Amino acid sequence: NTHNTSFKVQVIITSILECPKDNMSSMNFASEDPRASIQTLSTSLAGIAISVSSALFSLVGSLLIIYLILKSTMGLKKAYHRIMFSISICDVLQSCAIALATLPMPKDMIY
């Protein structure tokens, strides 16, 4: 039984190794696709600069709100301060996500 299993594994490995290599050259990669050179706002330098700069302004504003609430005499005792604090925390997370959103985008993908 183990001899039969090892024979099957050898047959599979042999068939993979003997596969013609010219199949890879006939594949159409995204870098060869003419649609890959189309500039969209999210892939252009201006779009990246707009999203990063607006996210950084939002981040600074939210951090300022958090700082002012924590340094105030009332702190988080007022309901309004708690609501603004929680909104600012969520905005900090969202601003970081927007600022870093263009980093993981591959250059040769068609979006």
Side-chain angles (χ1 to χ4, degrees):
N1 192 15
T2 59
H3 177 66
N4 192 17
T5 305
S6 65
F7 178 72
K8 288 179 183 178
V9 169
Q10 285 178 343
V11 169
I12 292 171
I13 292 173
T14 306
S15 65
I16 290 172
L17 293 176
E18 291 176 358
C19 181
K21 303 290 188 236
D22 60 340
N23 286 345
M24 291 298 287
S25 63
S26 66
M27 295 178 80
N28 188 10
F29 291 104
S31 61
E32 298 170 0
D33 195 333
R35 297 175 296 168
S37 63
I38 296 173
Q39 282 286 345
T40 62
L41 185 63
S42 62
T43 59
S44 69
L45 188 60
I48 293 170
I50 289 170
S51 66
V52 169
S53 62
S54 64
L56 288 178
F57 282 125
S58 178
L59 180 69
V60 168
S62 293
L63 290 175
L64 183 63
I65 290 172
I66 291 170
Y67 174 77
L68 291 174
I69 289 173
L70 293 177
K71 289 296 182 180
S72 70
T73 57
M74 294 298 289
L76 294 172
K77 293 177 184 173
K78 295 177 77 174
Y80 177 74
H81 284 184
R82 288 192 300 269
I83 292 171
M84 288 302 295
F85 182 80
S86 60
I87 289 173
S88 296
I89 291 291
C90 292
D91 188 55
V92 165
L93 297 174
Q94 184 252 349
S95 296
C96 291
I98 288 177
L100 302 175
T102 57
L103 288 179
M105 287 184 177
K107 298 283 186 210
D108 61 346
M109 283 296 294
I110 302 166
Y111 294 102

